[in-house]
Amino acid sequence: MDVEQALLTGRILEEYPDTGRGESCLVVGFSDGGKPIHIVCGMIGDSMVVITVYIPTPPKFKTPLQRGGS
């Protein structure tokens, strides 16, 4: 349910034109409870597929919308 809510209300944070398996993108959204969720999505034919889902955390992400520094 949290992933569905995040997809319905989220936005594309990053686009990946070609990762070797086709186009994909990183969507950031929030659950009804305000939990940040990142969802990597791609396309197979005319269907969107969820590749992976995770909660963004430091050090990779400073905030749900901003990557961390190295």
Side-chain angles (χ1 to χ4, degrees):
M1 188 69 134
D2 287 347
V3 173
E4 181 179 12
Q5 181 64 26
L7 281 171
L8 290 172
T9 61
R11 67 178 179 94
I12 295 174
L13 185 61
E14 298 176 354
E15 294 185 45
Y16 312 121
D18 188 5
T19 60
R21 297 182 196 137
E23 293 183 45
S24 59
C25 65
L26 173 61
V27 175
V28 60
F30 295 85
S31 69
D32 283 335
K35 177 174 40 179
I37 301 172
H38 280 185
I39 306 143
V40 178
C41 303
M43 296 294 290
I44 294 179
D46 292 334
S47 299
M48 185 196 81
V49 295
V50 173
I51 297 167
T52 192
V53 176
Y54 61 92
I55 306 299
T57 58
K60 193 165 185 174
F61 285 88
K62 289 181 185 178
T63 71
L65 303 175
Q66 183 182 17
R67 282 202 178 268
S70 46

